[in-house]
Each structure stands twice: as C-alpha cells, then as structure tokens.
Amino acid sequence: MLVKRFKYPDEILELDYDPTFAVRGLHYDVEKGLLVKLDSFLQLQLGSVYRGRTKVPEEEVLKLYHNRLLPIAYVEGPNNTYRHNTNSKMVQLADLFSVPEMCLLCNVIEYFEGNRIDYNPEIVFHDIKTAMGSCHPVMHATVMKDTEKYIEKNPKLVQYFEKLQNSGKKLFLVTNSPFSFVNCGMTWLVGAQWREFFDVVIVQARKPKFFTDESRPIRLYDAKTHSHLWDRVFKLEKGKIYYEGSVRQLQELKGWRGHSVLYFGDHPYSDLADVTLKHGWRTGAIISELAHEIKTLNRVDFKKSANWLQMLTQLIEDTQDNESEAAQQCLRDWMEERDQLRNKTKNVFNEQFGSVFRTYHNPTYFSRRLFRFADIYTSDITNLLKFSTSHTFYPRRGVMPHEYASHFI
C-alpha cells in the first residue's frame, strides 16, 4: 500500500517483519520520530527509545526531552480524556494491529535513516496508519480464504457459551467487522449455528462511534442479499443481524443497563472506556499478551532475579547513609549489580521494550489506562470457565509506601 498508493521506494518491500520487536502500548513521538515507552507517571524508560530500529543513547534522549518526566500536555494534549488529541505530540499504539504497525513504522524510518533520505516523521506515521487501515479488506479476504490457517480454534468456547446460556445470561456481539468476516470466523470457532448463542448481533458498529454517537440508527442487515434495509428497527430480535446503530439504542431496545452488563473487548480504550465512564457497564479486557507475561513471571530464573533485586534494593536503601569508605564501595558494587538485574528482568519479556505492563518497576502508561477502564482482565475469555456465573471478584488491598513497615503486612 505504501509503495502503490504513496509511492514509497520499492526497496521497503524487502524489509522483514519482526514480531518480537515491539510490545503493545508504546508511544510514537510524531514530532521527533521516536518510539518510546512511558510509565504511569509519564516518565520515559531510558534504554527503550528507538529511532527506527536503532536504540537512541540516553544522553541524546535527555538532550531531546530535557527531562525524563514529560509534560502531560505533550503526551495527551490539552483537556484530553483518553483518546488521542491532535494537539498532543504523541500517539499511543494500543490495539492488536499496533505491533505490526510499529514494526513497519520503525523499518521504514530505519531505511530512510540508513539511506540518508529526508522525511517528515509525522507524515510517515500518517501514511503508515492509512496504509494499515486500507489493508483490512485484504486481511479479511485472506483469512476467509484459509480460515483454519489464521484462526486458532478454542475448544472451550462453545462450552463457555453454553454455560452462560444455561445460567440465563443474555449474550450480545458488537463488532466493527463486516458480517461475511464475522460469519466465517464464528462458524469455524463455534459452528454453523453460532447465532443461536447471541440475543443480539451488531456488525460494522464503527466503535468507538457506536458508544458516542446519539443519532445513528440501527439498521437491519439482509444476509441473503448482502444489503442494509431501510426499515425502522423497533426491536432487536434473536437470529437477525443488525448494522451500525449506537449503544443508546441498544440499551433502550433491550433494557440492558449499568452494572447488569459485563462487556468484553480487546482494546482497553476504544472498546471499554466509554461504556464504563458514560454508561456504567462492567468491563473486561482480553489481553492476549498476558499468557506470555505470566509464563515469564513464573520462570525460576526470573523469580530468582526479581527476588534478589528486591533484597539488593533494600540493602542499598539501608546502607546508603553509611559514609565509611567500605560501605560506599559496597554501595557502588551493589548499584552496578542492581542495574544489571534491572535490565535482565526487563529484557526477559522483550529485549527492546520489556514488559507490556511495567517499565523497570513502575506500571506502564498502558497499565494505568487498562486498570482505569477494565474491571477485570484476562488472556482468554474461557478462563472464566473456572468460576461460577455468580462469582464476585473482590478488589485487593494495595500496599501504600507508608504501609510497608506496618504490622498488618
């Protein structure tokens, strides 16, 4: 698309996609052309700033930004809530397409840098964003042609739907994808009668507009003629396919409101933010990266490194006020070892950017927003098979800094 539509050099067709390069939730600085990782306090994670595929030295990063802590207006723009503001200098890449998008973006910039081709970082970003968006129909056609190759079947999915249905739960599906793609995928995953599980099916919903628009009417979709009917929709019936509409109409026609609804999505912002902030729905995020993160957290070598890092940090904290030469030499050695351990525990998740959920120890900006908009999160919807449909997940009591020495801990 970049070569054909935007006349980029043919050589970029030879650039390889590296699925291990980036992680979800990074920010692209459209002004400076850098891919960066921020923590929940808007601090840059030094050592994880890239121009193309090349790591930018810490000295240059600090020279460019003057500080590790970025102003909120630089990141989010003025008066922004949770969506990208065109006045901000940064764009967060947080959906499932963001990892290949970031890899393509960095590959192209690396090519331009290596071949001394002048470019505008913001123009390159918007060209790639547009190219990625225009690839969706191509992706749909490719997956539909060879569904078994591209969609991994989950044997527990039908069992979970049946459990919900037998418990008297009402299920609904709201997706941005066209019916042909949804029908193909769901038939492979659940079976030809997949629509029997859902009380309402809405396709091409155009989220997040589905959650924000007030006047966009729900239309009936005719699967036989592949057309959208012009009849006024007075009720939402099981077995029928609907098109576009808004969450306001869904709530009015079905009476599903507030905490009686638990809505799952794979994008913490465009899927979940509006329904929890404006409509009071309960929300669940499907974060596929959790499987890799939890597997890594449970590795023996990671646990050993993480525990020793904690103990070493405590030793440094307890000894740092001792001004003797012996103590100061120990501190220097411990600080060097701590730095090595911090990088080791970071790189085990992803060599360039570390964990999706943490910088070195702070939660990432992605985590901050995930925790704000999702009541629960999991790697797979069928993980909930382990719980009854009336199960309550109670919040954990977090430990504040002043509580560490408390006798309650």
Side-chain angles (χ1 to χ4, degrees):
M1 289 294 177
L2 288 172
V3 172
K4 191 174 177 181
R5 185 171 172 184
F6 297 108
K7 310 305 177 187
Y8 277 55
D10 288 348
E11 286 76 14
I12 70 167
L13 294 171
E14 305 302 318
L15 301 175
D16 290 328
Y17 170 55
D18 178 5
T20 64
F21 172 67
V23 297
R24 190 151 45 137
L26 303 177
H27 281 77
Y28 178 69
D29 189 322
V30 296
E31 190 174 69
K32 297 179 174 64
L34 301 176
L35 193 62
V36 305
K37 185 179 181 184
L38 301 179
D39 70 10
S40 57
F41 305 104
L42 305 184
Q43 291 184 106
L44 288 161
Q45 178 173 298
L46 296 176
S48 293
V49 178
Y50 280 76
R51 180 181 289 110
R53 298 294 296 267
T54 304
K55 187 189 293 187
V56 181
E58 292 184 12
E59 300 77 19
E60 185 179 346
V61 173
L62 292 172
K63 187 177 178 181
L64 284 167
Y65 290 102
H66 310 295
N67 200 331
R68 278 189 63 198
L69 184 63
L70 301 185
I72 191 168
Y74 191 89
V75 178
E76 299 183 353
N79 305 316
N80 192 31
T81 51
Y82 53 88
R83 291 203 183 90
H84 171 57
N85 189 305
T86 53
N87 293 320
S88 67
K89 304 297 182 184
M90 290 193 165
V91 180
Q92 190 180 24
L93 298 134
D95 64 17
L96 290 175
F97 296 95
S98 65
V99 173
E101 183 177 348
M102 284 183 277
C103 188
L104 177 58
L105 179 64
C106 289
N107 275 353
V108 170
I109 290 176
E110 185 73 14
Y111 173 81
F112 285 162
E113 290 279 338
N115 290 278
R116 300 182 182 278
I117 298 172
D118 189 33
Y119 67 96
N120 182 314
E122 187 168 1
I123 290 174
V124 172
F125 171 76
H126 288 299
D127 284 351
I128 287 174
K129 195 81 176 170
T130 304
M132 289 287 292
S134 63
C135 286
H136 283 249
V138 180
M139 183 268 287
H140 290 162
T142 305
V143 173
M144 289 168 65
K145 193 175 180 180
D146 196 356
T147 309
E148 296 180 25
K149 179 180 178 181
Y150 292 102
I151 300 182
E152 185 178 347
K153 205 163 191 176
N154 186 340
K156 297 179 181 179
L157 196 57
V158 173
Q159 182 187 348
Y160 183 57
F161 285 166
E162 288 174 345
K163 180 179 180 177
L164 291 171
Q165 208 169 46
N166 294 336
S167 300
K169 304 297 181 184
K170 305 294 183 184
L171 279 69
F172 66 95
L173 177 66
V174 178
T175 174
N176 285 354
S177 298
F179 176 72
S180 57
F181 185 62
V182 176
N183 187 48
C184 180
M186 291 298 286
T187 299
W188 163 244
L189 286 169
V190 181
Q193 307 304 314
W194 66 269
R195 281 191 272 172
E196 293 181 4
F197 285 112
F198 295 94
D199 293 79
V200 177
V201 176
I202 300 174
V203 299
Q204 289 179 267
R206 294 174 65 197
K207 296 177 291 183
K209 288 186 176 181
F210 180 82
F211 301 125
T212 56
D213 285 3
E214 294 289 327
S215 59
R216 202 164 45 122
I218 290 179
R219 298 176 65 180
L220 190 61
Y221 178 80
D222 189 331
K224 293 180 180 178
T225 61
H226 307 293
S227 61
H228 310 111
L229 305 182
W230 52 83
D231 306 37
R232 187 186 295 271
V233 175
F234 291 101
K235 60 180 179 177
L236 299 175
E237 300 178 65
K238 190 171 184 174
K240 293 187 176 179
I241 304 298
Y242 298 93
Y243 168 87
E244 290 194 346
S246 68
V247 72
R248 182 180 62 82
Q249 292 168 289
L250 175 64
Q251 292 188 123
E252 287 176 355
L253 293 172
K254 298 303 292 184
W256 298 336
R257 297 180 183 278
H259 288 176
S260 65
V261 182
L262 174 56
Y263 181 72
F264 283 90
D266 56 34
H267 194 302
Y269 317 152
S270 61
D271 274 338
L272 308 180
D274 286 300
V275 293
T276 187
L277 296 177
K278 297 180 181 178
H279 302 286
W281 288 9
R282 293 295 193 192
T283 53
I286 305 298
I287 309 295
S288 56
E289 294 91 338
L290 266 175
H292 166 67
E293 295 264 342
I294 292 172
K295 185 178 179 181
T296 305
L297 288 169
N298 285 314
R299 280 171 44 173
V300 174
D301 60 332
F302 176 82
K303 287 184 176 181
K304 184 178 178 181
S305 295
N307 286 333
W308 176 231
L309 178 59
Q310 289 288 93
M311 294 171 69
L312 193 59
T313 303
Q314 188 66 55
L315 281 171
I316 292 169
E317 192 170 342
D318 292 343
T319 311
Q320 63 185 334
D321 296 323
N322 187 327
E323 297 179 358
S324 70
E325 180 53 35
Q328 290 301 309
Q329 183 57 51
C330 274
L331 281 167
R332 286 190 288 272
D333 294 340
W334 289 344
M335 289 293 288
E336 184 178 343
E337 185 178 357
R338 181 174 181 268
D339 287 341
Q340 293 171 356
L341 277 172
R342 274 158 56 87
N343 285 319
K344 184 179 179 181
T345 53
K346 168 205 155 189
N347 294 345
V348 71
F349 292 96
N350 174 278
E351 195 172 335
Q352 290 72 233
F353 298 99
S355 168
V356 175
F357 300 94
R358 285 190 185 275
T359 50
Y360 287 108
H361 53 272
N362 287 340
T364 57
Y365 188 92
F366 177 81
S367 294
R368 168 189 167 187
R369 293 188 135 192
L370 172 66
F371 302 154
R372 183 184 178 193
F373 302 133
D375 291 296
I376 60 173
Y377 62 101
T378 182
S379 62
D380 189 319
I381 189 75
T382 57
N383 288 338
L384 292 173
L385 268 170
K386 300 170 185 175
F387 306 95
S388 71
T389 54
S390 60
H391 184 90
T392 298
F393 292 94
Y394 291 97
R396 299 291 186 266
R397 178 188 173 95
V399 181
M400 297 179 187
H402 68 276
E403 294 177 324
Y404 277 106
S406 168
H407 63 277
F408 293 111
I409 306 304

